[in-house]
Amino acid sequence: MTVRVGAHVSISASKASNDPEKPPHGNIANAVFRQEQFGGNCGQIFTHSPQVWQNPNIDDGEADLFKSETDATLEGPWVIHSSYLVNLCTPKDGLREKSIDSMQREIDAAEQLGIPYVNVHLGAHTGAGVEGGLENAASALDELSIPEGVTVLIESDAGSGTKLGGKFEHLAQVLELSEQDLDICLDTAHAFAAGYDLSTAEGVEETIAELDDVVGLDHLKCVHLNDSKHACGTNKDEHAHIGEGLIGEEGMNAFVNHSAIADVPLVLETPTEDGKSFAWNIDRVRTLRNEA
């Protein structure tokens, strides 16, 4: 089985392609060409800067080109990552409404682009308490109009401060409380930072078994595959190259070769540093899978 692995790539026009027949500026299809350059066959995008409240601005021509180029060159799927400003757990009415509006626009963009998943962090409860924050998140998600063919994925978190999603129980509770058909995205660096030891084969087995027991592996639709620059349980979220962080080669090898992960798309959010880019990390994943 061909591993589905790719990167979170930019949609910006700069350095998207040297081919004069490719769209040169401002076209979301730049993400497809960039993914090809890295050697990926699936991936993730932001539809706009994740640091500001901004709406996706995609015309039908761009969307059609994105879909046709994806169908022609990639196995898929794509994932849209929501804005970092979205906070579903917030008790603040203004932020809640902005978060719901932002999520709805990302969902609408996913439908327009033929993208099956929109990924989101639960956010921070900022004083509402764990239970209150999870209830806020579920009720916010219930206000969304999610069309057939699009699924919202709740991403696991590193769990610092009042952020929720660091425990598998948080993910399970939101899935149970919400009336929507939701699934999850597991981030390996986040899970490691939150205290799930993925650095050994035994730790990987235990973590995946716990995920299955608490949430259910049938809900696992995407993995953000990242090594970690910080130790297990530190709640520090900083990504490292695959096999070169504190999860390390043994843990990464065990994880990517686990039967539960065999057909789950792996999206890299690894750094570009030390002369290593997404291409190096994608090749690294394929090498580890070939060692099984």
Side-chain angles (χ1 to χ4, degrees):
M1 181 180 295
T2 301
V3 61
R4 289 190 289 171
V5 59
H8 181 125
V9 296
S10 171
I11 66 172
S12 67
S14 61
K15 299 181 182 179
S17 175
N18 295 321
D19 188 336
E21 295 184 1
K22 306 295 188 183
H25 301 292
N27 194 307
I28 199 164
N30 289 315
V32 183
F33 312 137
R34 191 168 282 111
Q35 194 68 250
E36 289 182 88
Q37 291 175 336
F38 289 133
N41 57 18
C42 65
Q44 181 174 266
I45 58 171
F46 292 121
T47 61
H48 56 81
S49 169
Q51 306 288 357
V52 297
W53 294 114
Q54 184 177 336
N55 297 328
N57 184 20
I58 305 163
D59 65 40
D60 289 341
E62 290 181 79
D64 289 343
L65 183 59
F66 177 89
K67 288 186 286 187
S68 64
E69 291 292 339
T70 293
D71 291 343
T73 61
L74 303 179
E75 184 171 347
W78 283 104
V79 179
I80 290 177
H81 195 301
S82 63
S83 168
Y84 290 141
L85 299 181
V86 168
N87 186 347
L88 300 176
C89 294
T90 182
K92 300 177 181 177
D93 291 340
L95 178 55
R96 174 186 171 89
E97 291 308 310
K98 283 185 175 181
S99 297
I100 293 170
D101 180 67
S102 179
M103 281 295 296
Q104 186 62 60
R105 292 178 186 274
E106 300 289 15
I107 289 165
D108 294 343
E111 183 180 32
Q112 181 186 17
L113 293 166
I115 292 178
Y117 301 120
V118 175
N119 182 76
V120 65
H121 297 268
L122 289 175
H125 67 70
T126 61
V130 172
E131 295 301 317
L134 295 175
E135 289 172 2
N136 288 344
S139 63
L141 289 163
D142 285 347
E143 293 194 32
L144 299 172
S145 176
I146 305 176
E148 185 177 354
V150 178
T151 301
V152 172
L153 305 181
I154 309 300
E155 181 179 345
S156 65
D157 199 271
S160 62
T162 65
K163 290 182 180 178
L164 300 180
K167 295 182 178 181
F168 294 161
E169 286 81 3
H170 295 170
L171 309 179
Q173 190 165 339
V174 172
L175 265 60
E176 182 178 354
L177 289 172
S178 175
E179 296 177 359
Q180 305 280 15
D181 290 327
L182 307 170
D183 287 311
I184 67 164
C185 171
L186 178 71
D187 186 304
T188 52
H190 293 174
F192 188 69
Y196 297 96
D197 189 1
L198 294 169
S199 64
T200 66
E202 181 182 8
V204 168
E205 190 65 44
E206 290 176 354
T207 298
I208 291 178
E210 184 170 351
L211 181 64
D212 189 25
D213 182 59
V214 175
V215 182
L217 289 175
D218 56 316
H219 286 293
L220 180 62
K221 302 303 181 183
C222 181
V223 166
H224 285 173
L225 190 69
N226 303 299
D227 212 323
S228 175
K229 292 186 178 181
H230 300 283
C232 183
T234 59
N235 303 117
K236 293 182 178 180
D237 176 18
E238 192 174 3
H239 300 173
H241 296 302
I242 300 301
E244 298 201 346
L246 293 176
I247 294 177
E249 184 173 343
E250 179 186 347
M252 279 292 167
N253 184 58
F255 185 86
V256 301
N257 286 296
H258 196 285
S259 60
I261 309 301
D263 196 38
V264 178
L266 309 174
V267 175
L268 304 176
E269 300 170 322
T270 47
T272 297
E273 59 188 17
D274 303 325
K276 296 168 183 172
S277 66
F278 282 136
W280 184 92
N281 283 279
I282 289 170
D283 285 344
R284 181 72 169 133
V285 173
R286 291 197 170 108
T287 297
L288 291 173
R289 280 289 279 260
N290 288 337
E291 291 177 355

